[in-house]
Every structure is written in C-alpha cells, then in structure tokens.
Amino acid sequence: MQKLVTLVTICLLFYIGIILDDNQAGAVTNSTYTKPQVDIKTVKNEKVLEFTLLLDNKVNKISIPVSKLLFNVTITKKYDGKGDSHQFKLDPKFTNLYEEVGNFKSQKNTVVIYPIFTQAGYEKDGFYDYYSKKCGSRCLTVPIPVNPKPTYQSSATGGLVLSMLNYTFITDVDVDKNPSILQKYSKVILLHNEYVTKKEFDAIIKHPNVVYSYPNALYAEVKTDYLKNTITLVKGHGYPSANISNGFNWKFDNSQFEYDFDCKSWKFYKIKNGKMLNCYPYYRILYDENLLRAITN
C-alpha cells in the first residue's frame, strides 16, 4: 500500500514540474463547457493572471493580481501568443506559510483522495460522451487510468497544491480495495471525487473528519472490474433514468455549488462527518491564505 501512495505522490509531483494542460471537459455536470484559457495581462500597470471559461456560451473571466499569488505560476504560450497552459512551483517568500499549512516539519495525519475514477469518467469515449449522445452504452464502461493526470475535472489545482505541500495521497482505487485504509488517518481531504464506488462512499461518510473541498463529490456510483481495469457507471447523473441525480440519494449532496468558480463568498459549513465548501475553488486556492488554511488546518 505504501508503494501505491508513493507512486501517486511521485506522479503528482512530476506533473507539477511540467506543463499542466486543461484540455478536457470541465467539472460542470450538465452544461456545455470548453477548457479554461489562461494568460498573464497588464491591467492598470499591474500584472494579472486571467482565466477565461466558456460556460453555456457565456464567457466567465477570473482575474488574479500576480502580486497576490501564493505560488509561482508560469504560463506556456502557443505560437499564436494565446495562453495555453500553466505550471506551479513553491515561492520561497511564502516558506513560513507552507510550513504552517503543509505537511513538512509538523507532520499531519491527513490523507488526500485523488479522484482517479472521476478522471476516467471524463476521458474521451467516457461518460460525458455518453451524456452528450456522442456514443452509446459502450461509453458507460471506461478504463481506469494508470497514472493521475491533473485536469480541471479532477481538481487539478487543488491536488497539485496539496502535493506541493507534501500531503499523502491515495486514490479511489486504494479506498475501494481497502476501505479500512481511511481509519489510519485523523482527517481525509476530498477533491472533486464525483464518481465513487459504494464501498468507497460508505468508507468516506463513516469517517468522522472529512473535508469536502470541492462540491459535487460523491455524486454518482460506479462499479469496478480490476481484471479488466475498468469502471462502469451504475447510477447517478441522470442514469439509468433522467430523474436520478445523486446516485446514492445522499442528503448532503452539494452539487448546486459547482458553478461558483470564483468563490468570492466561500465558506465551509458543517455536516455530520466533517465540513463542506460552498464553491468550486479551482483558482482561489492559489491566492487565498484563509481558504488554504481552512482546507489544511
């Protein structure tokens, strides 16, 4: 098991050092969405990191002054000059903050569950191609990715930030195969774990201290076939009938908040086994110290 944990951490750290390309469909569950475009612009003599998202034919722009960033962000541009992708590194001037919120000198008994099943569901010829009627029932069964691939729908920024801060990672597969693994940790941090198995769902909701750092977690049920290394959609997200939203009929489902990308009025609220965030913090985690503290402390 330790080898699996180490592998996930190594893979995430590897992706931190290379270009992060959000070239898949987004986290939004029932909407038309294109990948975020990122660029650095100068506005009123100040450099600004600008993210542009197209949702239901509406342009959404999120601008972050570079001076407010808690991490170094590098933009890699295409030949046409448009912002194409971005990568993250720790910024030495925030060392004290990293030591406070990270898992370095003061070791925290915390684990992060990387949403490998959700990553699988969003792949080409996956669940979302089925939802949009680009393919039939064959797209209800998809391969489990061999390696984590941080993208928008798998909560890339949150995962990479927590990996840079030295947190221990496991995946949905680890929890599904051994649900008791969560009992080893005093705190569990979820990312955008939208698709989970029933065993994983039960293990998570039974843990007494879960931080649901992205809305829309635990939304749809999948089943695994480890001989074929696949997952298959069982229930949820309008399947097998249109009136089914949350596949577990979970009363704490908070998917209504996943459309709030800028998190201007973010807050955590308590539920039975932890706390939930009321927005999708894809970008805010890059510059909001209080949000980063609320997730990690």
Side-chain angles (χ1 to χ4, degrees):
M1 186 60 63
Q2 183 60 41
K3 290 182 179 179
L4 288 173
V5 171
T6 303
L7 175 62
V8 174
T9 303
I10 289 173
C11 289
L12 286 168
L13 288 171
F14 172 74
Y15 277 107
I16 290 170
I18 65 173
I19 295 171
L20 176 65
D21 189 1
D22 298 303
N23 57 3
Q24 310 244 358
V28 177
T29 312
N30 297 308
S31 301
T32 302
Y33 178 87
T34 58
K35 70 173 183 177
Q37 180 181 319
V38 59
D39 206 352
I40 291 182
K41 298 183 176 181
T42 301
V43 179
K44 295 182 179 179
N45 297 320
E46 184 175 26
K47 285 187 176 181
V48 172
L49 187 66
E50 184 177 85
F51 296 91
T52 304
L53 303 91
L54 181 63
L55 177 61
D56 288 340
N57 297 317
K58 179 182 178 182
V59 176
N60 298 269
K61 289 185 180 291
I62 299 173
S63 298
I64 307 170
V66 171
S67 60
K68 290 186 177 181
L69 291 172
L70 304 175
F71 306 91
N72 282 326
V73 181
T74 303
I75 306 299
T76 301
K77 294 180 178 295
K78 285 183 177 178
Y79 64 88
D80 60 6
K82 294 182 179 180
D84 180 41
S85 51
H86 48 295
Q87 56 185 338
F88 306 85
K89 291 182 181 179
L90 296 179
D91 187 335
K93 70 173 175 284
F94 293 109
T95 297
N96 291 338
L97 174 66
Y98 299 153
E99 290 179 355
E100 174 192 345
V101 300
N103 193 32
F104 298 107
K105 293 181 179 180
S106 178
Q107 293 292 309
K108 296 180 174 66
N109 189 24
T110 300
V111 70
V112 183
I113 304 178
Y114 179 81
I116 199 78
F117 293 160
T118 300
Q119 177 183 318
Y122 280 90
E123 296 282 1
K124 187 177 184 296
D125 294 329
F127 300 162
Y128 288 81
D129 283 339
Y130 171 83
Y131 300 146
S132 61
K133 303 186 187 313
K134 292 180 180 178
C135 60
S137 59
R138 68 178 178 86
C139 289
L140 293 175
T141 297
V142 296
I144 300 172
V146 176
N147 294 317
K149 180 184 177 182
T151 53
Y152 186 89
Q153 68 273 15
S154 60
S155 37
T157 304
L160 290 170
V161 165
L162 292 173
S163 182
M164 283 191 290
L165 293 174
N166 203 40
Y167 280 90
T168 297
F169 276 74
I170 57 178
T171 73
D172 300 311
V173 172
D174 299 319
V175 184
D176 181 56
K177 287 184 174 181
N178 179 22
S180 64
I181 190 174
L182 297 185
Q183 298 173 14
K184 295 170 49 179
Y185 302 95
S186 60
K187 182 167 74 174
V188 175
I189 298 177
L190 288 192
L191 299 171
H192 184 223
N193 298 79
E194 180 179 356
Y195 294 91
V196 295
T197 64
K198 183 63 165 61
K199 285 196 297 184
E200 183 180 8
F201 174 83
D202 289 340
I204 290 169
I205 66 170
K206 288 177 182 176
H207 193 281
N209 187 19
V210 178
V211 178
Y212 298 86
S213 61
Y214 285 73
N216 192 226
L218 311 187
Y219 187 69
E221 180 184 355
V222 296
K223 64 180 180 181
T224 56
D225 183 337
Y226 292 117
L227 292 178
K228 296 180 180 179
N229 195 45
T230 60
I231 59 170
T232 299
L233 183 63
V234 174
K235 195 176 189 181
H237 201 302
Y239 180 84
S241 61
N243 65 336
I244 297 175
S245 53
N246 188 286
F248 302 98
N249 195 28
W250 190 38
K251 67 178 181 179
F252 296 114
D253 179 279
N254 69 342
S255 298
Q256 73 270 24
F257 296 125
E258 68 170 330
Y259 300 95
D260 184 355
F261 300 115
D262 54 24
C263 285
K264 288 183 179 179
S265 301
W266 72 266
K267 69 175 181 179
F268 276 98
Y269 59 95
K270 292 184 178 181
I271 64 169
K272 184 177 181 180
N273 74 320
K275 62 182 182 180
M276 282 184 154
L277 187 60
N278 68 339
C279 59
Y280 198 93
Y282 186 56
Y283 307 113
R284 195 168 194 95
I285 198 172
L286 293 174
Y287 66 93
D288 192 325
E289 290 187 29
N290 291 328
L291 176 58
L292 195 53
R293 288 188 177 97
I295 292 173
T296 58
N297 290 341

